[in-house]
Amino acid sequence: MKTLIKYIIGKGSLKKAGRLKGVIGSAFKKEKYSVLLDTTNGCNLRCTFCTRNNDKIVRMKTEELDLIFGKIGKHISAMQVSCAWEYSIAKNAPEIVRTVGKYKIPSTTIYTNGNILTDEIAEALVDARLNDFVVSIGEAKKETYEKLRKGGKFERVLANIRKLDGLKRERKSRFPRICSNLTVVNSNIDELVDFVDLAHSLGIERIIGRHLILNKGLDMDNEKVRDKARANSILDIAEKKAADYGISFSIPKYEDEQKPKHCRAPWTQLYISSNGDVSVCPRIHLYAKIGNLLTDSFKNIINSSAMADLRRQFDERSFSNPVCGICMDNLETELAIDQGF
């Protein structure tokens, strides 16, 4: 510090001041990314609106996750675990949760279908003080939930949410905040207002959702919400009821005309799959791999020719994969896409 002060106040030129600026800039500048992580590439459910299906499941080892965090930990601004797959199917799920927690990442989220929540996982979630635990549920009736989320058990999910809420109360912990995440379709839109009541009874503090994304190979046309005015009216009522309960509510309204998106994923986001492969989005990771964090350095991945090419595609809005163009035009609810899961 004394040397730095002497350098600042001592005799020198503008050239020296310029060098000082470079030294300070190098010392404090760190590239920060929102990181999406899948520690498995399998799932215990077969949801009707999901195309994910793998014959060979790869589960990330705890020591592999430690290795990855050692390379990128200081570059993470936010972390989401489980993006395209289900983390809880792995035996080391509690260890994964605790490993994420020990790195003191500013914002941490875990997504799950909620059908598996052992006592060990629940305790790890509370001990690790992760910010959000997001359960994929938006139905108020058993029949609807189990129709849409094949293999899932409605009562089991509710019991697991209650278990975590009870443990939080026992430990007098605010963490993790329990949230729900839903895909709005014809089958569940009429249950949304009732679901807000259910969410309140379960201790859910935030409801988030999205419109149905059409995936190639799935016949989901009958689940598309076509009466947008009616749907928006239901969303308004549900949002008001959520506000009365103190529940955060974030589900977009239906627009008559979709506006193009502005995506900066190659500059702000990384996706890491369970085998260490890196892309910038889970939806294109099979089409646009930029490296592997089990074998490559963070610097080499960020500065790779693959990353440079991907950034060029986004700058020019001309893509070599079948997903980004439709997504950027905001037409994924109208045109079926072939996601790279």
Side-chain angles (χ1 to χ4, degrees), residues 138 182-185 188-196 207-212 225 227-243 247-255:
L182 64 137
T183 297
V184 181
V185 294
N188 65 15
I189 184 70
D190 288 323
E191 297 178 24
L192 185 55
V193 176
D194 289 338
F195 175 72
V196 175
I207 297 172
I208 56 178
R210 67 179 185 182
H211 304 161
L212 175 66
V225 173
D227 191 339
K228 296 179 180 180
R230 179 175 179 274
N232 286 340
S233 176
I234 293 172
L235 287 170
D236 284 336
I237 296 169
E239 184 172 15
K240 183 180 183 305
K241 176 170 278 195
I247 298 174
S248 171
F249 187 92
S250 180
I251 301 177
K253 299 293 195 302
Y254 287 85
E255 304 287 345

Side-chain angles (χ1 to χ4, degrees), residues 117-262:
L117 186 71
T118 63
D119 291 343
E120 291 78 12
I121 294 176
E123 290 169 3
L125 288 165
V126 175
D127 291 344
R129 296 178 65 82
L130 303 187
N131 296 102
D132 288 336
F133 180 77
V134 186
V135 182
S136 296
I137 185 172
E139 297 74 36
K141 297 178 181 178
K142 167 185 169 70
E143 296 78 10
T144 311
Y145 173 87
E146 295 183 2
K147 168 190 168 185
L148 293 173
R149 305 178 189 279
K150 296 188 181 302
K153 299 298 181 183
F154 186 69
E155 290 91 350
R156 181 189 300 157
V157 175
L158 302 191
N160 284 339
I161 294 173
R162 291 189 179 104
K163 174 195 290 188
L164 183 58
D165 184 56
L167 184 61
K168 285 175 56 182
R169 293 176 187 276
E170 178 185 319
R171 299 279 183 88
K172 297 180 180 179
S173 175
R174 295 188 297 113
F175 301 103
R177 176 173 62 166
I178 303 175
C179 314
S180 74
N181 174 49
L182 64 137
T183 297
V184 181
V185 294
N186 271 333
S187 290
N188 65 15
I189 184 70
D190 288 323
E191 297 178 24
L192 185 55
V193 176
D194 289 338
F195 175 72
V196 175
D197 290 322
L198 176 61
H200 174 64
S201 74
L202 293 171
I204 289 174
E205 301 175 64
R206 185 185 183 205
I207 297 172
I208 56 178
R210 67 179 185 182
H211 304 161
L212 175 66
I213 293 175
L214 299 179
N215 288 301
K216 280 190 175 178
L218 299 179
D219 183 13
M220 293 298 292
D221 198 59
N222 62 319
E223 289 288 6
K224 285 180 62 175
V225 173
R226 301 186 186 280
D227 191 339
K228 296 179 180 180
R230 179 175 179 274
N232 286 340
S233 176
I234 293 172
L235 287 170
D236 284 336
I237 296 169
E239 184 172 15
K240 183 180 183 305
K241 176 170 278 195
D244 290 341
Y245 283 134
I247 298 174
S248 171
F249 187 92
S250 180
I251 301 177
K253 299 293 195 302
Y254 287 85
E255 304 287 345
D256 290 329
E257 184 177 347
Q258 301 288 9
K259 297 177 181 179
K261 298 177 185 176
H262 181 68

